[in-house]
Amino acid sequence: FNNIISEYSGISHIEGAGNIISEYSGTSHIEGSNNIIYAYSHDSHAEGVNNKIYAYESHIEGVNNEIGVNAYNSHIEGKSNTTLGELSHIEGVNNTIYAYSYCSHVEGFGNISNGEFQHVAGKFNNLSSTSARITGWGEDDNNRKNIETLDTNGSLWVAGDIYTGNNTYYGLSKVNGAYPQIDLGKTN
């Protein structure tokens, strides 16, 4: 089935066709076709089709995903995702985690993380390196937007209005050029 386990990659295992486990990638495992675990990517696992792992102790499930060189201990599930950030996780389609996005998590479609410890969800978010949490709701790569961001100081921004559980309405309109401070615990 044209699978290759290179020299010095002992205790590795391949199931499928056209897969490669490169040198010094011992105790790695591939299931599927045309997946590659590159050199020095020991203890890694790939399942699916056309996935590439360049980092040790990483795991991919899906199609056309890539875990970059310094993205060790990372995990991807989905299609056409790329992580370059160490200890990161992606779920979905066409998402990216940049190299300096340590311990980040991205889920959804077409989202990008470019901040440490960041969580991005939704679709086609605007980039922000100072946000802890982002919910994107853009249309495509050229029309990115966020409907919610929480920055690393704890400030929350939402694109629309805020409603509480008791149906009290808080319209967030600027007053004298600034948004008013509100206490969501009050009902008046």
Side-chain angles (χ1 to χ4, degrees):
F1 294 95
N2 298 322
N3 293 311
I4 299 170
I5 298 176
S6 299
E7 191 173 17
Y8 308 113
S9 289
I11 316 176
S12 290
H13 177 76
I14 295 177
E15 300 171 46
N19 299 296
I20 300 171
I21 297 177
S22 297
E23 58 276 350
Y24 303 104
S25 294
T27 63
S28 290
H29 178 199
I30 293 178
E31 299 174 39
S33 59
N34 301 315
N35 297 291
I36 302 173
I37 296 176
Y38 286 90
Y40 300 97
S41 298
H42 59 84
D43 303 306
S44 291
H45 178 88
E47 296 176 53
V49 180
N50 296 323
N51 295 300
K52 298 176 183 174
I53 297 177
Y54 294 88
Y56 63 88
E57 298 172 349
S58 293
H59 180 174
I60 288 179
E61 302 167 64
V63 179
N64 297 324
N65 297 296
E66 183 174 318
I67 294 177
V69 174
N70 293 316
Y72 66 87
N73 289 71
S74 291
H75 181 203
I76 293 177
E77 302 168 71
K79 182 178 178 184
S80 301
N81 298 294
T82 301
T83 183
L84 305 172
E86 59 191 88
L87 299 161
S88 59
H89 182 94
I90 294 178
E91 303 161 77
V93 179
N94 294 327
N95 297 297
T96 303
I97 296 178
Y98 286 154
Y100 41 87
S101 298
Y102 177 81
C103 289
S104 290
H105 178 196
V106 174
E107 56 190 329
F109 189 88
N111 289 311
I112 300 172
S113 171
N114 70 330
E116 292 184 331
F117 309 103
Q118 193 170 73
H119 180 219
V120 180
K123 60 181 186 153
F124 297 109
N125 68 296
N126 273 327
L127 278 64
S128 170
S129 61
T130 60
S131 293
R133 184 179 70 215
I134 301 170
T135 303
W137 211 253
E139 293 300 316
D140 54 41
D141 275 327
N142 296 317
N143 296 290
R144 293 181 167 277
K145 76 173 186 179
N146 297 334
I147 58 172
E148 176 207 39
T149 59
L150 176 67
D151 71 22
T152 55
N153 294 315
S155 296
L156 176 66
W157 176 87
V158 294
D161 297 323
I162 295 177
Y163 299 84
T164 64
N166 63 7
N167 297 321
T168 303
Y169 167 74
Y170 294 98
L172 296 179
S173 300
K174 287 186 177 181
V175 176
N176 296 325
Y179 289 103
Q181 297 295 315
I182 60 171
D183 180 349
L184 294 178
K186 294 183 180 178
T187 60
N188 55 7

